[in-house]
Amino acid sequence: MSNTNTRELYPEIDPYKESFIRGDDTHEIFIEESGNPDGQPILFLHGGPGAGTGEIYRRFFNPEVYRIILFDQRGSGKSIPFASIINNTSQDLIEDIKKILNHLKIKKTIVYGGSWGSTLGLLFAQKYPDLVFSLVLRGIFLCRELDINWFYQK
């Protein structure tokens, strides 16, 4: 018996392009693209900070409709150097997102973020509202002192 309240993920897909861009003199940011190269751009912002992306995140989106863009934030996943906190602030990450969109020649994107990625998505949309078509946020974490104390059970 199937549960009509659950949703299957889209089938596994491979990226059609992987690349790096220079964030600054210290960081190289890993980017991958999958889905429809001519589709609606959707930029996935992973949690963490430090968590990185994974293959499963490509499966959140319909690959026939979306140009799926995943990237590993500074210090995360395949970005170089790994686990570095040097020049790794929220503002640096916001500027990396702008550089990624410029590099990929994207004028406007859907921003999808979960947990820390929801915080980063909100910060990006506040600074660059003209680059955001819409925000999809899940597991919102606002990074306030109250939130941090709850997270660390203080």
Side-chain angles (χ1 to χ4, degrees):
M1 179 177 194
S2 73
N3 182 345
T4 58
N5 294 326
T6 62
R7 173 147 163 53
E8 297 287 324
L9 295 174
Y10 288 96
E12 290 183 22
I13 57 170
D14 291 322
Y16 60 78
K17 186 176 181 184
E18 295 180 346
S19 59
F20 284 88
I21 64 164
R22 184 151 294 283
D24 61 18
D25 291 340
T26 308
H27 293 274
E28 290 185 57
I29 311 303
F30 174 78
I31 306 165
E32 70 167 51
E33 298 176 75
S34 57
N36 180 349
D38 298 317
Q40 168 67 51
I42 188 160
L43 180 73
F44 178 87
L45 302 177
H46 65 73
T53 58
E55 296 175 5
I56 195 165
Y57 298 125
R58 295 180 210 133
R59 299 180 62 201
F60 285 12
F61 313 103
N62 183 338
E64 294 178 13
V65 174
Y66 296 104
R67 178 182 178 186
I68 306 162
I69 302 150
L70 277 58
F71 77 99
D72 290 326
Q73 297 162 23
R74 291 177 183 225
S76 303
K78 295 179 184 175
S79 288
I80 302 168
F82 180 71
S84 174
I85 58 172
I86 297 168
N87 298 332
N88 194 347
T89 67
S90 299
Q91 291 307 309
D92 293 318
L93 297 171
I94 290 166
E95 294 309 313
D96 289 345
I97 295 169
K98 186 171 188 294
K99 288 177 187 176
I100 289 167
L101 296 178
N102 287 340
H103 172 74
L104 299 176
K105 297 177 177 38
I106 295 172
K107 294 183 191 295
K108 230 174 201 185
T109 187
I110 297 170
V111 174
Y112 178 103
S115 190
W116 162 248
S118 71
T119 306
L120 187 56
L122 286 166
L123 292 171
F124 180 78
Q126 283 179 316
K127 185 159 185 186
Y128 296 110
D130 293 344
L131 299 177
V132 178
F133 181 76
S134 66
L135 285 169
V136 180
L137 306 174
R138 64 168 177 76
I140 296 171
F141 184 75
L142 297 177
C143 217
R144 301 170 299 189
E145 185 175 351
L146 171 74
D147 302 316
I148 293 168
N149 289 341
W150 175 85
F151 185 76
Y152 288 109
Q153 302 297 308
K154 291 185 178 182

